[in-house]
Amino acid sequence: MPVTLKDVAQRAGVSRSAVSRTFTDGASVSPKMRRKVEKAASELGYSPNALASSLTTGRTKLIGLVSNNFHNPVFLEIFDLFTQGLQELGLRPLLVNLTDETEPDGSVQMLKQYSVDGVVLASSTLPPAFAQAYREAGLPVVHSFGRYSSAPTVHIVGIDNVECGRMAARELLARRYRRVGYLGGPADSTSSQDRLAGFQEEIEKNGGIGFSHSFAGAYSFDAGRAEMQRLLKADPAEAYFCGDDVLSIGALSAAEDAGLDVPGELGLIGLNDMEMARWENINLTTIRQPIRQIIRSSLELMVALLEDSERYPEARLFSCSVVQRGTLRPLP
């Protein structure tokens, strides 16, 4: 039979309420009482029942971890870091897959059904309306990798995607590419729009540079490969800024299949610096997004929101940097 709270109380010689307070965060209990209860619990092999505790405290310690881009390998890294971080804080992730979802209503219902204490929306492609819907449903929400706003209505942690576009353009211009292109993810995603805006703005500051842009159907290897195959049959640019690393790797595959030398005949630069970008057979020049810092800051904000749900929304931006590898020709 499982060991119960009553068993621990009898072994420790205290009341059941004393045992309950010992295992309830923030509850008042003397150091002497805590030692007695913890000793008895250890001897009996007792573990507090999380579900029973939630009925007492009104807190489930569940955090909805919501995203929509599960086919992108970078999100495996992101989910790994998020779930580890939540568990270290004594919280539990509830994973919600919004792939192919266009409205937030279904996920709002699910999150409320499971009585989550808060929501982390981990996506750069879902529109801000999703985070806003969670907030309007009374759920503390942090939008990680979200679109920057100078007047945010929810907490946002991410990067300046417009500036990342400018950074990519400067890298290509420094290497004297004269015809450049942008290969983005879905055209309607805010990250695709912002990265294109910054890239085009910087290119157009320099006269005489040929510029083109196109969009893949998804941030995925297959979509990047298919779009690059289409571009190579037309009039390709000398170098491309791809909206993220997995698109870049798909584009690299298409270029190699076409017999093109990278970077001799085609240059590529990505964004994220996911683990695969460092693999020897890929060796992708890319813009590093500080994923660990973004996740750490998102979790800090979530803990603060759980303590004060009326905390004023803020936007936190992290700087990116170029990682030089082997898919752009050397600087002159």
Side-chain angles (χ1 to χ4, degrees), residues 12-80:
V14 300
S15 67
R16 280 182 288 181
S17 64
V19 177
S20 179
R21 291 198 307 276
T22 299
F23 294 109
T24 299
D25 292 340
S28 176
V29 60
S30 70
K32 181 179 179 182
M33 180 75 72
R34 182 178 298 280
R35 286 193 296 271
K36 289 176 65 176
V37 171
E38 288 178 347
K39 181 175 183 293
S42 176
E43 292 171 350
L44 294 172
Y46 171 77
S47 295
N49 186 307
L51 293 178
S53 176
S54 69
L55 294 175
T56 303
T57 63
R59 289 283 186 90
T60 63
K61 296 189 177 180
L62 280 174
I63 302 297
L65 184 55
V66 180
S67 192
N68 66 326
N69 204 7
F70 285 74
H71 50 259
N72 191 329
V74 74
F75 276 85
L76 297 178
E77 300 176 32
I78 289 170
F79 293 145
D80 179 43

Side-chain angles (χ1 to χ4, degrees), residues 109-234:
Q109 182 178 355
M110 178 188 295
L111 292 164
K112 290 182 73 69
Q113 178 183 351
Y114 281 93
S115 300
V116 299
D117 289 340
V119 182
V120 173
L121 179 61
S123 172
S124 64
T125 57
L126 283 170
F130 277 77
Q132 187 62 34
Y134 302 146
R135 184 174 188 270
E136 290 172 358
L139 298 169
V141 58
V142 176
H143 191 171
S144 299
F145 308 99
R147 190 180 206 178
Y148 172 74
S149 170
S150 58
T153 57
V154 301
H155 293 276
I156 300 169
V157 186
I159 60 173
D160 185 342
N161 283 298
V162 176
E163 178 58 24
C164 284
R166 296 189 192 107
M167 291 173 67
R170 290 193 289 267
E171 286 299 313
L172 299 189
L173 292 170
R175 286 163 173 74
R176 298 182 181 174
Y177 289 108
R178 306 301 296 173
R179 290 183 296 111
V180 301
Y182 172 74
L183 196 170
D188 60 352
S189 77
T190 59
S191 55
S192 291
Q193 295 165 7
D194 290 349
R195 291 166 193 175
L196 169 60
F199 186 73
Q200 185 170 0
E201 172 193 311
E202 194 71 21
I203 293 297
E204 290 180 349
K205 289 180 182 177
N206 297 264
I209 305 296
F211 169 75
S212 62
H213 70 274
S214 63
F215 299 99
Y219 281 110
S220 71
F221 172 88
D222 289 339
R225 176 180 163 84
E227 183 59 19
M228 182 54 72
Q229 286 174 331
R230 187 190 71 79
L231 291 168
L232 292 177
K233 291 176 183 176

